[in-house]
Amino acid sequence: MDITVIGTGYVGLNAGAGLASKGHNVTCVDIDEEKVEKINDGECPIFEEGLPEMLEEMVSEGKLEATTDTVSAVASADVVFLAVGTPMDDEGNINLEYIRQAAEDVSEGMSERDGYQVIAVKSTVVPGTTEEEVLPILERSGKEAGEDFGVCMNPEFLREGTALKDFLNPDRIVIGELDEKSGDKLEKIYSEFEAPVVRTGLKEAELIKYGSNSLLATKISFINEIGNLCKQLGIDVYDVADGVGMDSRLERSFLNSGIGFGGSCFPKDVRALIRFMEEEGEDPKILRNVVELNQGQKVKLVEQLEQKLEDLDGKTVAVLGLSFKPGTDDIRQSPAIDIISELKEKDVNVKAYDPEAMENMEQRHPDTVYTESYQEALEGSDAALLVTDWPEFDEISRKDLKTMENPLILEGRRMDYDLPDDKTEGVTWP
Ligand code: UGA
């Protein structure tokens, strides 16, 4: 099928490349000319494992191209995905500016198309947005939804760092549909995928996305609360999580305790759901506490550091890992941002290292020293804070510890290295 994807962020680009690899003809649209040019040259504008190779292959085979011309890309498409960002405003609401603009551009293209096509929202939007905000804009094309064109809401569940793999091997495909014809057409796109398909209404699909992300975030805050108790008791939260996770009604995944969740999704989506519930007259007690606990969890390492070193003034501390998780250069809502701010407030000399995210962090914290390697960050430091569980940190050795002024690693994430117990300490484990 001919597919157009509006927006070349993590979701749009991975979905575009993934669908092209399943045999569809994909056009990716973005307003950023530089990005469009890069994609057409077979270059990948974002850091994501496997995507550069796949993108290059699809472009060279002529299965994927990029353009800034929304109107003609829409006019030639059987299915159009809206995959633009829905960032958070100061109050936690989602900002619909980009999706409204994209819908307007799409409606222009729709008026130039003869015959039926489906417009599917992939962006994360609160219940009601597709039907009450996007659909009326699309109808400015002069066409009638459910008659001349179909409308779907098709949330995406891929994770940064494993995005392409997740897109191609989803646990389920959720198709929210205005009517059966819309859903039937969208489902055809996924005929080569092996996942179960959930057909539902538009609002249900929108809430499945928020429900999934909020429950995953809740699991993390829950295990961190248990972890904080474990710390008091001097026991290991990972032993507790393993035992709990063996109950088939529960699930071991997303029970990895540490310094909490970051990224462009969980913090934003939980807050957006809270705001939405409040507007609907509901009282989101659990979710408010999920956010509050996560905020406190981020800087627990610094509290621990203060207990260990007493006076932090003038001390040198290595911060290992800056991205919000391994496998990405994305620092959005990364615990490292708040940790570095706290350290600076306490007049600590920070030496930071990350295999991929230093350039991004430099824009946020320009006056921090960035090192070429974790070894260089550790050398001469009074302590190290392990913030992101990049696999290369598993290689930290006793020899590396010897180069430190004071050999001590406080772990915000669980690592698998072989270091003496009295030189390392976890945020929620001994
Ligand atoms: C998350 C969801 O997992 C995806 O399904 C969803 O599609 C995506 O948001 C989105 O809405 O776009 P992502 O934010 O890329 O994906 O990354 P995750 O792997 O979910 O990790 C999020 C944060 O939680 C990271 O900071 C990670 O370190 C933390 N985390 C994760 C924990 O602290 N403990 C865990 O057990 C798991």
Side-chain angles (χ1 to χ4, degrees), residues 11 124 156-161 166 172 209 212-213 216 220 223-224 238 252-266 269 324-326 333 335 389 413:
V11 171
T124 301
E156 186 48 58
F157 302 99
L158 58 79
R159 292 160 295 176
E160 284 182 31
D166 287 349
R172 78 300 202 192
K209 170 71 189 185
S212 303
N213 273 4
L216 290 168
I220 298 171
I223 200 64
N224 284 338
Y238 278 72
R252 175 61 183 83
S253 62
F254 281 74
L255 289 179
N256 292 323
S257 181
I259 44 173
F261 55 81
S264 64
C265 303
F266 287 170
D269 293 352
F324 82 95
K325 63 184 259 186
Q333 303 287 320
D389 41 343
R413 303 284 181 202

mmCIF file of all heavy atoms in Angstrom, residues 11 124 156-161 166 172 209 212-213 216 220 223-224 238 252-266 269 324-326 333 335 389 413, ligand 1:
data_model
loop_
_atom_site.group_PDB
_atom_site.id
_atom_site.type_symbol
_atom_site.label_atom_id
_atom_site.label_comp_id
_atom_site.label_asym_id
_atom_site.label_seq_id
_atom_site.Cartn_x
_atom_site.Cartn_y
_atom_site.Cartn_z
ATOM 1 N N VAL A 11 8.859 7.809 16.584
ATOM 2 C CA VAL A 11 7.716 6.988 16.168
ATOM 3 C C VAL A 11 7.580 6.989 14.651
ATOM 4 O O VAL A 11 7.545 5.929 14.016
ATOM 5 C CB VAL A 11 6.413 7.482 16.852
ATOM 6 C CG1 VAL A 11 5.197 6.785 16.255
ATOM 7 C CG2 VAL A 11 6.471 7.238 18.356
ATOM 8 N N THR A 124 0.513 10.287 20.610
ATOM 9 C CA THR A 124 -0.177 10.008 21.875
ATOM 10 C C THR A 124 -1.088 11.187 22.223
ATOM 11 O O THR A 124 -0.613 12.300 22.433
ATOM 12 C CB THR A 124 0.875 9.789 22.986
ATOM 13 O OG1 THR A 124 1.695 8.682 22.594
ATOM 14 C CG2 THR A 124 0.234 9.513 24.326
ATOM 15 N N GLU A 156 1.214 3.667 19.387
ATOM 16 C CA GLU A 156 2.488 2.987 19.171
ATOM 17 C C GLU A 156 3.124 2.671 20.528
ATOM 18 O O GLU A 156 3.071 3.482 21.436
ATOM 19 C CB GLU A 156 3.399 3.909 18.347
ATOM 20 C CG GLU A 156 4.702 3.288 17.934
ATOM 21 C CD GLU A 156 4.525 1.904 17.318
ATOM 22 O OE1 GLU A 156 3.818 1.758 16.323
ATOM 23 O OE2 GLU A 156 5.095 0.951 17.879
ATOM 24 N N PHE A 157 3.732 1.489 20.637
ATOM 25 C CA PHE A 157 4.279 1.073 21.932
ATOM 26 C C PHE A 157 5.787 0.841 21.882
ATOM 27 O O PHE A 157 6.356 0.218 22.778
ATOM 28 C CB PHE A 157 3.554 -0.197 22.419
ATOM 29 C CG PHE A 157 2.061 -0.006 22.551
ATOM 30 C CD1 PHE A 157 1.185 -0.429 21.558
ATOM 31 C CD2 PHE A 157 1.528 0.645 23.663
ATOM 32 C CE1 PHE A 157 -0.191 -0.235 21.659
ATOM 33 C CE2 PHE A 157 0.157 0.849 23.779
ATOM 34 C CZ PHE A 157 -0.708 0.404 22.777
ATOM 35 N N LEU A 158 6.450 1.328 20.819
ATOM 36 C CA LEU A 158 7.897 1.088 20.724
ATOM 37 C C LEU A 158 8.671 1.877 21.779
ATOM 38 O O LEU A 158 8.223 2.931 22.235
ATOM 39 C CB LEU A 158 8.411 1.427 19.319
ATOM 40 C CG LEU A 158 8.223 2.828 18.730
ATOM 41 C CD1 LEU A 158 9.235 3.814 19.266
ATOM 42 C CD2 LEU A 158 8.319 2.761 17.217
ATOM 43 N N ARG A 159 9.817 1.326 22.178
ATOM 44 C CA ARG A 159 10.689 1.986 23.152
ATOM 45 C C ARG A 159 11.919 2.534 22.447
ATOM 46 O O ARG A 159 12.429 1.897 21.522
ATOM 47 C CB ARG A 159 11.180 0.992 24.217
ATOM 48 C CG ARG A 159 10.112 0.490 25.143
ATOM 49 C CD ARG A 159 10.530 -0.784 25.821
ATOM 50 N NE ARG A 159 10.683 -1.863 24.854
ATOM 51 C CZ ARG A 159 11.109 -3.089 25.136
ATOM 52 N NH1 ARG A 159 11.450 -3.397 26.371
ATOM 53 N NH2 ARG A 159 11.200 -4.012 24.202
ATOM 54 N N GLU A 160 12.408 3.671 22.901
ATOM 55 C CA GLU A 160 13.671 4.175 22.363
ATOM 56 C C GLU A 160 14.768 3.175 22.684
ATOM 57 O O GLU A 160 14.752 2.551 23.747
ATOM 58 C CB GLU A 160 14.008 5.536 22.982
ATOM 59 C CG GLU A 160 13.165 6.644 22.400
ATOM 60 C CD GLU A 160 13.522 7.999 22.974
ATOM 61 O OE1 GLU A 160 14.683 8.231 23.340
ATOM 62 O OE2 GLU A 160 12.608 8.839 23.048
ATOM 63 N N GLY A 161 15.709 3.049 21.775
ATOM 64 C CA GLY A 161 16.806 2.107 22.005
ATOM 65 C C GLY A 161 16.534 0.748 21.364
ATOM 66 O O GLY A 161 17.450 0.079 20.913
ATOM 67 N N ASP A 166 10.955 -3.264 18.303
ATOM 68 C CA ASP A 166 9.633 -3.206 18.953
ATOM 69 C C ASP A 166 8.525 -2.974 17.928
ATOM 70 O O ASP A 166 7.451 -3.572 18.009
ATOM 71 C CB ASP A 166 9.569 -2.068 19.980
ATOM 72 C CG ASP A 166 10.376 -2.370 21.232
ATOM 73 O OD1 ASP A 166 10.808 -3.524 21.400
ATOM 74 O OD2 ASP A 166 10.581 -1.441 22.045
ATOM 75 N N ARG A 172 0.989 -6.443 20.705
ATOM 76 C CA ARG A 172 -0.345 -6.335 20.102
ATOM 77 C C ARG A 172 -0.388 -5.083 19.239
ATOM 78 O O ARG A 172 0.409 -4.162 19.416
ATOM 79 C CB ARG A 172 -1.454 -6.297 21.157
ATOM 80 C CG ARG A 172 -1.699 -4.984 21.918
ATOM 81 C CD ARG A 172 -0.549 -4.512 22.679
ATOM 82 N NE ARG A 172 -0.885 -3.604 23.775
ATOM 83 C CZ ARG A 172 0.022 -2.903 24.414
ATOM 84 N NH1 ARG A 172 1.298 -2.956 24.072
ATOM 85 N NH2 ARG A 172 -0.327 -2.116 25.405
ATOM 86 N N LYS A 209 -3.221 3.491 25.272
ATOM 87 C CA LYS A 209 -1.843 4.009 25.273
ATOM 88 C C LYS A 209 -1.510 4.633 26.643
ATOM 89 O O LYS A 209 -0.483 4.326 27.249
ATOM 90 C CB LYS A 209 -1.699 5.042 24.156
ATOM 91 C CG LYS A 209 -0.415 5.819 24.180
ATOM 92 C CD LYS A 209 0.769 4.961 23.791
ATOM 93 C CE LYS A 209 2.049 5.705 24.038
ATOM 94 N NZ LYS A 209 3.231 5.020 23.584
ATOM 95 N N SER A 212 -1.370 1.958 29.391
ATOM 96 C CA SER A 212 -0.153 1.138 29.362
ATOM 97 C C SER A 212 1.021 1.899 29.967
ATOM 98 O O SER A 212 1.710 1.401 30.854
ATOM 99 C CB SER A 212 0.198 0.754 27.917
ATOM 100 O OG SER A 212 -0.870 0.085 27.322
ATOM 101 N N ASN A 213 1.255 3.114 29.470
ATOM 102 C CA ASN A 213 2.408 3.863 29.982
ATOM 103 C C ASN A 213 2.261 4.195 31.462
ATOM 104 O O ASN A 213 3.230 4.146 32.215
ATOM 105 C CB ASN A 213 2.611 5.150 29.164
ATOM 106 C CG ASN A 213 3.478 4.903 27.946
ATOM 107 O OD1 ASN A 213 3.855 3.770 27.668
ATOM 108 N ND2 ASN A 213 3.794 5.944 27.209
ATOM 109 N N LEU A 216 2.921 1.051 33.577
ATOM 110 C CA LEU A 216 4.356 0.740 33.607
ATOM 111 C C LEU A 216 5.087 1.707 34.550
ATOM 112 O O LEU A 216 5.924 1.293 35.362
ATOM 113 C CB LEU A 216 4.956 0.827 32.194
ATOM 114 C CG LEU A 216 4.524 -0.284 31.231
ATOM 115 C CD1 LEU A 216 4.917 0.051 29.800
ATOM 116 C CD2 LEU A 216 5.109 -1.638 31.638
ATOM 117 N N ILE A 220 7.127 0.993 38.224
ATOM 118 C CA ILE A 220 8.468 1.476 38.575
ATOM 119 C C ILE A 220 8.429 2.231 39.918
ATOM 120 O O ILE A 220 9.235 1.974 40.808
ATOM 121 C CB ILE A 220 9.049 2.369 37.454
ATOM 122 C CG1 ILE A 220 9.186 1.563 36.153
ATOM 123 C CG2 ILE A 220 10.407 2.950 37.862
ATOM 124 C CD1 ILE A 220 9.538 2.404 34.925
ATOM 125 N N ILE A 223 7.914 -0.264 42.815
ATOM 126 C CA ILE A 223 9.085 -1.043 43.239
ATOM 127 C C ILE A 223 10.134 -0.114 43.872
ATOM 128 O O ILE A 223 10.891 -0.533 44.743
ATOM 129 C CB ILE A 223 9.671 -1.898 42.077
ATOM 130 C CG1 ILE A 223 10.544 -3.034 42.627
ATOM 131 C CG2 ILE A 223 10.460 -1.070 41.083
ATOM 132 C CD1 ILE A 223 9.830 -4.063 43.467
ATOM 133 N N ASN A 224 10.137 1.152 43.464
ATOM 134 C CA ASN A 224 11.066 2.089 44.112
ATOM 135 C C ASN A 224 10.631 2.376 45.551
ATOM 136 O O ASN A 224 11.470 2.543 46.442
ATOM 137 C CB ASN A 224 11.181 3.379 43.298
ATOM 138 C CG ASN A 224 12.054 3.172 42.069
ATOM 139 O OD1 ASN A 224 12.871 2.245 42.032
ATOM 140 N ND2 ASN A 224 11.888 4.006 41.055
ATOM 141 N N TYR A 238 16.134 -6.280 44.588
ATOM 142 C CA TYR A 238 16.105 -7.159 43.411
ATOM 143 C C TYR A 238 15.705 -8.588 43.794
ATOM 144 O O TYR A 238 15.052 -9.278 43.015
ATOM 145 C CB TYR A 238 17.433 -7.092 42.626
ATOM 146 C CG TYR A 238 17.424 -5.870 41.725
ATOM 147 C CD1 TYR A 238 17.546 -4.590 42.273
ATOM 148 C CD2 TYR A 238 17.206 -5.975 40.366
ATOM 149 C CE1 TYR A 238 17.466 -3.463 41.483
ATOM 150 C CE2 TYR A 238 17.134 -4.846 39.549
ATOM 151 C CZ TYR A 238 17.263 -3.595 40.109
ATOM 152 O OH TYR A 238 17.166 -2.477 39.314
ATOM 153 N N ARG A 252 7.593 -9.816 36.107
ATOM 154 C CA ARG A 252 8.865 -9.312 36.620
ATOM 155 C C ARG A 252 9.315 -8.026 35.912
ATOM 156 O O ARG A 252 10.007 -7.189 36.500
ATOM 157 C CB ARG A 252 9.939 -10.407 36.479
ATOM 158 C CG ARG A 252 11.351 -9.991 36.859
ATOM 159 C CD ARG A 252 11.427 -9.570 38.324
ATOM 160 N NE ARG A 252 12.774 -9.111 38.672
ATOM 161 C CZ ARG A 252 13.239 -7.886 38.447
ATOM 162 N NH1 ARG A 252 12.447 -6.981 37.857
ATOM 163 N NH2 ARG A 252 14.463 -7.552 38.794
ATOM 164 N N SER A 253 8.896 -7.857 34.632
ATOM 165 C CA SER A 253 9.423 -6.715 33.889
ATOM 166 C C SER A 253 8.914 -5.387 34.483
ATOM 167 O O SER A 253 7.835 -5.323 35.063
ATOM 168 C CB SER A 253 9.031 -6.804 32.415
ATOM 169 O OG SER A 253 7.643 -6.755 32.304
ATOM 170 N N PHE A 254 9.730 -4.352 34.318
ATOM 171 C CA PHE A 254 9.453 -3.016 34.857
ATOM 172 C C PHE A 254 9.377 -2.979 36.376
ATOM 173 O O PHE A 254 8.743 -2.127 36.979
ATOM 174 C CB PHE A 254 8.235 -2.373 34.183
ATOM 175 C CG PHE A 254 8.620 -1.811 32.839
ATOM 176 C CD1 PHE A 254 8.849 -2.657 31.759
ATOM 177 C CD2 PHE A 254 8.846 -0.455 32.671
ATOM 178 C CE1 PHE A 254 9.273 -2.155 30.536
ATOM 179 C CE2 PHE A 254 9.267 0.047 31.450
ATOM 180 C CZ PHE A 254 9.482 -0.813 30.378
ATOM 181 N N LEU A 255 10.026 -3.968 37.009
ATOM 182 C CA LEU A 255 10.199 -3.930 38.470
ATOM 183 C C LEU A 255 11.681 -3.759 38.794
ATOM 184 O O LEU A 255 12.148 -4.235 39.825
ATOM 185 C CB LEU A 255 9.653 -5.208 39.113
ATOM 186 C CG LEU A 255 8.127 -5.368 39.114
ATOM 187 C CD1 LEU A 255 7.723 -6.703 39.753
ATOM 188 C CD2 LEU A 255 7.442 -4.217 39.861
ATOM 189 N N ASN A 256 12.423 -3.109 37.904
ATOM 190 C CA ASN A 256 13.833 -2.829 38.190
ATOM 191 C C ASN A 256 13.924 -1.505 38.928
ATOM 192 O O ASN A 256 13.693 -0.446 38.355
ATOM 193 C CB ASN A 256 14.645 -2.784 36.894
ATOM 194 C CG ASN A 256 14.722 -4.159 36.259
ATOM 195 O OD1 ASN A 256 14.826 -5.175 36.948
ATOM 196 N ND2 ASN A 256 14.620 -4.209 34.945
ATOM 197 N N SER A 257 14.239 -1.609 40.202
ATOM 198 C CA SER A 257 14.284 -0.414 41.035
ATOM 199 C C SER A 257 15.548 0.396 40.749
ATOM 200 O O SER A 257 16.545 -0.137 40.272
ATOM 201 C CB SER A 257 14.238 -0.845 42.498
ATOM 202 O OG SER A 257 14.251 0.288 43.330
ATOM 203 N N GLY A 258 15.486 1.684 41.041
ATOM 204 C CA GLY A 258 16.647 2.548 40.802
ATOM 205 C C GLY A 258 16.276 4.000 41.046
ATOM 206 O O GLY A 258 15.555 4.309 41.999
ATOM 207 N N ILE A 259 16.767 4.875 40.158
ATOM 208 C CA ILE A 259 16.509 6.304 40.353
ATOM 209 C C ILE A 259 15.330 6.807 39.528
ATOM 210 O O ILE A 259 15.225 7.992 39.229
ATOM 211 C CB ILE A 259 17.761 7.154 40.037
ATOM 212 C CG1 ILE A 259 18.417 6.663 38.754
ATOM 213 C CG2 ILE A 259 18.716 7.172 41.215
ATOM 214 C CD1 ILE A 259 19.555 7.537 38.288
ATOM 215 N N GLY A 260 14.426 5.895 39.189
ATOM 216 C CA GLY A 260 13.166 6.317 38.597
ATOM 217 C C GLY A 260 13.183 6.439 37.088
ATOM 218 O O GLY A 260 14.205 6.250 36.452
ATOM 219 N N PHE A 261 12.006 6.757 36.550
ATOM 220 C CA PHE A 261 11.864 6.808 35.094
ATOM 221 C C PHE A 261 12.072 8.216 34.555
ATOM 222 O O PHE A 261 11.746 9.196 35.189
ATOM 223 C CB PHE A 261 10.486 6.279 34.663
ATOM 224 C CG PHE A 261 9.305 6.958 35.319
ATOM 225 C CD1 PHE A 261 8.833 8.168 34.844
ATOM 226 C CD2 PHE A 261 8.662 6.370 36.403
ATOM 227 C CE1 PHE A 261 7.733 8.792 35.429
ATOM 228 C CE2 PHE A 261 7.560 6.978 37.009
ATOM 229 C CZ PHE A 261 7.102 8.193 36.522
ATOM 230 N N GLY A 262 12.675 8.264 33.353
ATOM 231 C CA GLY A 262 12.806 9.519 32.614
ATOM 232 C C GLY A 262 12.287 9.285 31.210
ATOM 233 O O GLY A 262 11.511 8.368 30.973
ATOM 234 N N GLY A 263 12.750 10.127 30.281
ATOM 235 C CA GLY A 263 12.373 9.934 28.886
ATOM 236 C C GLY A 263 11.278 10.888 28.442
ATOM 237 O O GLY A 263 10.755 11.678 29.235
ATOM 238 N N SER A 264 10.925 10.782 27.173
ATOM 239 C CA SER A 264 9.965 11.727 26.606
ATOM 240 C C SER A 264 8.537 11.231 26.772
ATOM 241 O O SER A 264 7.601 11.906 26.369
ATOM 242 C CB SER A 264 10.258 11.912 25.117
ATOM 243 O OG SER A 264 10.059 10.679 24.453
ATOM 244 N N CYS A 265 8.365 10.044 27.377
ATOM 245 C CA CYS A 265 7.011 9.484 27.403
ATOM 246 C C CYS A 265 6.400 9.347 28.796
ATOM 247 O O CYS A 265 5.396 9.984 29.092
ATOM 248 C CB CYS A 265 7.014 8.132 26.706
ATOM 249 S SG CYS A 265 7.617 8.262 25.035
ATOM 250 N N PHE A 266 7.001 8.526 29.663
ATOM 251 C CA PHE A 266 6.356 8.280 30.963
ATOM 252 C C PHE A 266 6.074 9.578 31.739
ATOM 253 O O PHE A 266 4.939 9.793 32.172
ATOM 254 C CB PHE A 266 7.205 7.335 31.835
ATOM 255 C CG PHE A 266 7.195 5.901 31.382
ATOM 256 C CD1 PHE A 266 8.074 4.977 31.935
ATOM 257 C CD2 PHE A 266 6.317 5.457 30.416
ATOM 258 C CE1 PHE A 266 8.081 3.654 31.529
ATOM 259 C CE2 PHE A 266 6.309 4.135 29.986
ATOM 260 C CZ PHE A 266 7.194 3.232 30.547
ATOM 261 N N ASP A 269 3.342 11.508 29.809
ATOM 262 C CA ASP A 269 2.046 10.841 29.665
ATOM 263 C C ASP A 269 1.320 10.704 30.998
ATOM 264 O O ASP A 269 0.100 10.848 31.071
ATOM 265 C CB ASP A 269 2.223 9.462 29.004
ATOM 266 C CG ASP A 269 2.685 9.594 27.556
ATOM 267 O OD1 ASP A 269 2.716 10.734 27.046
ATOM 268 O OD2 ASP A 269 3.042 8.572 26.944
ATOM 269 N N PHE A 324 18.549 9.051 29.362
ATOM 270 C CA PHE A 324 17.531 8.576 30.316
ATOM 271 C C PHE A 324 17.498 7.060 30.420
ATOM 272 O O PHE A 324 16.945 6.496 31.351
ATOM 273 C CB PHE A 324 16.150 9.152 29.974
ATOM 274 C CG PHE A 324 15.398 8.435 28.891
ATOM 275 C CD1 PHE A 324 14.465 7.464 29.205
ATOM 276 C CD2 PHE A 324 15.617 8.732 27.551
ATOM 277 C CE1 PHE A 324 13.745 6.794 28.208
ATOM 278 C CE2 PHE A 324 14.921 8.073 26.550
ATOM 279 C CZ PHE A 324 13.988 7.098 26.881
ATOM 280 N N LYS A 325 18.136 6.397 29.457
ATOM 281 C CA LYS A 325 18.276 4.940 29.484
ATOM 282 C C LYS A 325 19.386 4.575 28.502
ATOM 283 O O LYS A 325 19.753 5.406 27.654
ATOM 284 C CB LYS A 325 16.970 4.233 29.126
ATOM 285 C CG LYS A 325 16.492 4.512 27.709
ATOM 286 C CD LYS A 325 15.159 3.876 27.436
ATOM 287 C CE LYS A 325 15.279 2.595 26.661
ATOM 288 N NZ LYS A 325 14.022 2.017 26.247
ATOM 289 N N PRO A 326 19.929 3.357 28.567
ATOM 290 C CA PRO A 326 20.967 2.999 27.597
ATOM 291 C C PRO A 326 20.398 2.848 26.190
ATOM 292 O O PRO A 326 19.193 2.686 26.023
ATOM 293 C CB PRO A 326 21.487 1.644 28.100
ATOM 294 C CG PRO A 326 20.669 1.252 29.252
ATOM 295 C CD PRO A 326 19.638 2.279 29.525
ATOM 296 N N GLN A 333 14.092 14.534 30.268
ATOM 297 C CA GLN A 333 13.663 14.102 31.619
ATOM 298 C C GLN A 333 14.619 13.064 32.223
ATOM 299 O O GLN A 333 14.214 12.260 33.072
ATOM 300 C CB GLN A 333 12.248 13.519 31.594
ATOM 301 C CG GLN A 333 11.189 14.451 31.038
ATOM 302 C CD GLN A 333 10.846 15.583 31.980
ATOM 303 O OE1 GLN A 333 10.749 15.401 33.182
ATOM 304 N NE2 GLN A 333 10.702 16.771 31.456
ATOM 305 N N PRO A 335 17.204 11.506 34.700
ATOM 306 C CA PRO A 335 17.583 11.809 36.082
ATOM 307 C C PRO A 335 18.918 12.550 36.150
ATOM 308 O O PRO A 335 19.149 13.342 37.065
ATOM 309 C CB PRO A 335 17.695 10.423 36.733
ATOM 310 C CG PRO A 335 16.827 9.537 35.910
ATOM 311 C CD PRO A 335 16.871 10.092 34.509
ATOM 312 N N ASP A 389 22.471 2.663 32.970
ATOM 313 C CA ASP A 389 23.075 1.323 32.932
ATOM 314 C C ASP A 389 23.553 0.919 31.537
ATOM 315 O O ASP A 389 23.134 -0.107 30.977
ATOM 316 C CB ASP A 389 22.114 0.266 33.512
ATOM 317 C CG ASP A 389 20.657 0.467 33.084
ATOM 318 O OD1 ASP A 389 20.307 1.566 32.609
ATOM 319 O OD2 ASP A 389 19.857 -0.474 33.231
ATOM 320 N N ARG A 413 21.492 2.657 39.063
ATOM 321 C CA ARG A 413 20.985 1.549 38.241
ATOM 322 C C ARG A 413 21.781 0.313 38.596
ATOM 323 O O ARG A 413 22.959 0.391 38.941
ATOM 324 C CB ARG A 413 21.152 1.841 36.739
ATOM 325 C CG ARG A 413 20.484 3.111 36.261
ATOM 326 C CD ARG A 413 18.991 2.969 36.141
ATOM 327 N NE ARG A 413 18.364 4.204 35.654
ATOM 328 C CZ ARG A 413 17.098 4.509 35.841
ATOM 329 N NH1 ARG A 413 16.302 3.694 36.525
ATOM 330 N NH2 ARG A 413 16.593 5.629 35.376
HETATM 331 C C1 UGA B 1 8.077 3.886 26.971
HETATM 332 C C2 UGA B 1 7.254 2.597 26.862
HETATM 333 O O1 UGA B 1 7.980 1.498 27.437
HETATM 334 C C3 UGA B 1 6.911 2.279 25.399
HETATM 335 O O2 UGA B 1 6.077 1.137 25.336
HETATM 336 C C4 UGA B 1 6.176 3.481 24.801
HETATM 337 O O3 UGA B 1 5.861 3.281 23.428
HETATM 338 C C5 UGA B 1 7.058 4.720 24.919
HETATM 339 O O4 UGA B 1 7.362 4.947 26.318
HETATM 340 C C6 UGA B 1 6.286 5.875 24.342
HETATM 341 O O5 UGA B 1 5.213 6.210 24.868
HETATM 342 O O6 UGA B 1 6.680 6.373 23.276
HETATM 343 P P1 UGA B 1 10.672 4.529 26.592
HETATM 344 O O7 UGA B 1 10.329 5.780 27.321
HETATM 345 O O8 UGA B 1 11.382 4.627 25.292
HETATM 346 O O9 UGA B 1 9.329 3.672 26.293
HETATM 347 O O10 UGA B 1 11.614 3.622 27.523
HETATM 348 P P2 UGA B 1 11.402 2.518 28.672
HETATM 349 O O11 UGA B 1 12.264 1.368 28.352
HETATM 350 O O12 UGA B 1 9.976 2.232 28.923
HETATM 351 O O13 UGA B 1 12.043 3.254 29.949
HETATM 352 C C7 UGA B 1 11.491 4.447 30.506
HETATM 353 C C8 UGA B 1 12.207 4.807 31.782
HETATM 354 O O14 UGA B 1 11.886 3.895 32.829
HETATM 355 C C9 UGA B 1 13.757 4.774 31.694
HETATM 356 O O15 UGA B 1 14.271 5.904 32.359
HETATM 357 C C10 UGA B 1 14.138 3.487 32.395
HETATM 358 O O16 UGA B 1 15.421 3.529 32.961
HETATM 359 C C11 UGA B 1 13.060 3.418 33.473
HETATM 360 N N1 UGA B 1 12.810 2.044 33.968
HETATM 361 C C12 UGA B 1 12.322 1.085 33.131
HETATM 362 C C13 UGA B 1 13.036 1.734 35.305
HETATM 363 O O17 UGA B 1 13.460 2.596 36.110
HETATM 364 N N2 UGA B 1 12.779 0.454 35.752
HETATM 365 C C14 UGA B 1 12.289 -0.506 34.942
HETATM 366 O O18 UGA B 1 12.064 -1.637 35.423
HETATM 367 C C15 UGA B 1 12.065 -0.184 33.597
#
